[in-house]
């Protein structure tokens, strides 16, 4: 049932929101250049890799050595606005339509994090990743990695259509009040380096 709802709703939204895609594409091309779409490999259900799609929010500014500058420098005010309104996530409707993702589930993180998860944390990959999730409505990027993973695993253990509906409603609220967009002192959130274990 969840997969059917994901397919039908994402298909309808892609059609209804097509004009927003066009407007954003033009604005991003003018403000940030090309490419308009940012894509990156991410682990999905059962840790199988897929490409996630987002609207670009950062510039390509580089140092004299040709290396990309830190995220907080490349994230422009225009990019911050897109992230604040969560408009950068809209291309993920295509991921949902294809079945790579769901509307609700643990957020798909970097592939490089896979070997860093402990036995409990890896359980987050038992379901399709989502555009939003239980961790996103309970702190998003303002909480620690450990708290985020605990929320993800709790969702996997307690998932239901009613819980998904609740998360979607809370997500709308979070977007309007702009809570937890970034960790203090970071453009988004510091990298995950593994959970420390007690000696």
């Amino acid at each position: 049932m969840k997969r059917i709802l994901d397919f039908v709703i994402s298909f309808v939204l892609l059609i209804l929101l097509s004009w927003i895609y066009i407007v954003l594409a033009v604005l991003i091309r003018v403000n940030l250049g090309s490419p308009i779409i940012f894509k990156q490999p991410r682990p999905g259900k059962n840790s199988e890799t897929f490409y996630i799609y987002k609207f670009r929010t950062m510039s390509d500014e580089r140092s004299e050595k040709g290396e990309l500058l830190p995220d907080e420098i490349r994230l422009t005010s225009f990019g911050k606005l897109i992230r604040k309104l969560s408009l950068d996530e809209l291309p993920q409707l295509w991921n949902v339509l294809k079945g790579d993702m769901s509307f609700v589930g643990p957020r798909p993180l970097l592939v490089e994090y896979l070997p860093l998860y402990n036995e409990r944390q890896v359980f987050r990959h038992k379901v399709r990743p989502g555009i939003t999730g239980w961790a996103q409505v309970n702190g998003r990027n303002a909480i620690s990695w450990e708290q985020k993973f605990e929320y993800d695993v709790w969702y996997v253990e307690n998932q239901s259509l009613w819980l998904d509906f609740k998360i979607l409603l809370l997500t709308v609220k979070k977007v309007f009040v702009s809570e937890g967009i970034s960790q203090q002192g970071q453009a988004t959130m510091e990298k995950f380096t593994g959970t420390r274990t007690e000696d």
Side-chain angles (χ1 to χ4, degrees), residues 94-113:
W94 176 245
N95 288 120
V96 175
L97 185 72
K98 290 197 314 173
D100 299 326
M101 296 175 63
S102 176
F103 278 103
V104 179
R107 283 293 296 166
L109 303 174
L110 300 178
V111 174
E112 65 190 69
Y113 292 168

Side-chain angles (χ1 to χ4, degrees), residues 81-90 140 171 175:
L81 177 62
I82 292 179
R83 288 193 179 189
K84 181 179 180 180
L85 299 174
S86 295
L87 295 174
D88 58 316
E89 311 285 359
L90 285 178
R140 199 171 175 181
T171 298
V175 170

Side-chain angles (χ1 to χ4, degrees), residues 14-196:
L14 280 167
I15 295 174
L16 294 178
L17 301 177
S18 59
W19 66 275
I20 295 181
Y21 281 76
I22 294 171
V23 171
L24 281 173
V26 172
L27 290 175
I28 291 169
R29 181 67 179 84
V30 171
N31 286 276
L32 298 173
S34 59
I36 294 168
I37 299 293
F38 167 82
K39 72 173 186 175
Q40 188 178 55
R42 298 286 177 94
K45 185 179 181 180
N46 299 320
S47 300
E48 294 182 5
T49 304
F50 70 97
Y51 277 95
I52 193 173
Y53 300 100
K54 292 186 176 186
F55 277 124
R56 181 181 176 188
T57 58
M58 294 187 185
S59 69
D60 277 333
E61 292 180 81
R62 297 177 181 269
S63 66
E64 295 178 354
K65 296 181 180 180
E67 300 172 341
L68 284 172
L69 294 176
D71 290 356
E72 57 267 23
I73 296 177
R74 295 188 296 117
L75 183 59
T76 64
S77 56
F78 172 72
K80 288 179 181 178
L81 177 62
I82 292 179
R83 288 193 179 189
K84 181 179 180 180
L85 299 174
S86 295
L87 295 174
D88 58 316
E89 311 285 359
L90 285 178
Q92 287 165 51
L93 288 174
W94 176 245
N95 288 120
V96 175
L97 185 72
K98 290 197 314 173
D100 299 326
M101 296 175 63
S102 176
F103 278 103
V104 179
R107 283 293 296 166
L109 303 174
L110 300 178
V111 174
E112 65 190 69
Y113 292 168
L114 284 175
L116 301 177
Y117 296 138
N118 62 32
E119 189 174 340
R120 179 166 174 78
Q121 291 167 350
V122 77
F123 198 60
R124 69 193 302 278
H125 290 290
K126 293 295 183 180
V127 298
R128 285 188 179 88
I131 294 179
T132 186
W134 191 235
Q136 278 59 54
V137 298
N138 282 284
R140 199 171 175 181
N141 291 324
I143 58 177
S144 70
W145 282 112
E146 285 70 27
Q147 288 174 304
K148 184 176 293 190
F149 294 146
E150 195 55 41
Y151 282 130
D152 288 342
V153 173
W154 183 91
Y155 171 79
V156 174
E157 295 173 337
N158 296 275
Q159 59 181 313
S160 68
L161 287 178
W162 167 246
L163 179 58
D164 284 1
F165 181 66
K166 178 181 178 180
I167 290 172
L168 288 171
L169 289 179
L170 289 172
T171 298
V172 174
K173 176 186 174 183
K174 288 286 182 180
V175 170
F176 277 108
V177 298
S178 303
E179 290 180 347
I181 297 172
S182 62
Q183 191 176 52
Q184 189 172 3
Q186 303 287 331
T188 51
M189 190 169 184
E190 64 180 356
K191 282 195 171 185
F192 178 59
T193 56
T195 298
R196 294 179 181 177

